[in-house]
Amino acid sequence: MKEIVKDVTVAFVIVFIIMQFYEPTRVFGISMQPNFHEKDYLVLSKEAYAKASPKRGDVVVFQSSLVSFKGDKELLIKRVIGLPGDKVVIKDGDVYVNGVQQSDYYTKDRYTIGDISVTVPEGEYFCMGDNRQHSTDSRFSSVGCVSSSLIKGKVIFRFYPFNKAGKIKSI
């Protein structure tokens, strides 16, 4: 009996320590298709930005001001497009960052809705979904640029569905 209690205690301590640095999360909705789908299970590194800043192409989870049906503020999963100080322009279906047209090979329709020009404030990030036709993101005032303090972490691994399990690479 002592061995079982010891094993359970050690397992609990290990899980507790791991949960301080990593957090499981789940995809809801279609805004990140074709790269992430409804009910994908992902691992979020809560410490990814403790000593570094998000980079363009990182997939992040952040607290938004959008309110769910339950009355909670929604967590959103999006891709970082613009860094602090960047000028992001969306025109004629294309995205430009600091005057350079961005590749859209990873997006669902290879077309971005919107006609905006914004300079990303210091300490904030411009984030968009990969399914640009069906994503509420930094293009909309309801989300806007995302403060670094609201970023919960970087998506680093997909563990379900099993046939797509693996490390998540930034674009």
Side-chain angles (χ1 to χ4, degrees), residues 30-103:
I30 62 172
S31 74
M32 288 300 288
Q33 289 180 358
N35 301 298
F36 301 95
H37 296 272
E38 178 97 25
K39 299 181 183 174
D40 279 7
Y41 283 87
L42 311 170
V43 175
L44 182 68
S45 171
K46 298 192 291 188
E47 295 295 317
Y49 302 125
K51 295 182 181 178
S53 298
K55 294 176 180 46
R56 193 174 291 109
D58 285 358
V59 177
V60 298
V61 172
F62 61 90
Q63 185 74 57
S64 76
S65 60
L66 301 174
V67 179
S68 73
F69 293 113
K70 297 178 183 177
D72 302 324
K73 289 190 176 180
E74 290 186 9
L75 291 175
L76 298 180
I77 177 173
K78 305 294 176 191
R79 190 175 303 277
V80 175
I81 304 299
L83 306 176
D86 282 350
K87 183 171 184 178
V88 178
V89 174
I90 300 173
K91 185 176 182 178
D92 299 327
D94 294 317
V95 177
Y96 300 86
V97 177
N98 300 323
V100 178
Q101 185 176 355
Q102 302 299 292
S103 175

Side-chain angles (χ1 to χ4, degrees), residues 118-121 124-127 138-140 143-147 150:
V118 63
T119 299
V120 182
E124 296 186 11
Y125 297 86
F126 191 92
C127 302
S138 290
R139 294 172 290 169
F140 301 92
V143 175
C145 290
V146 180
S147 171
L150 297 177

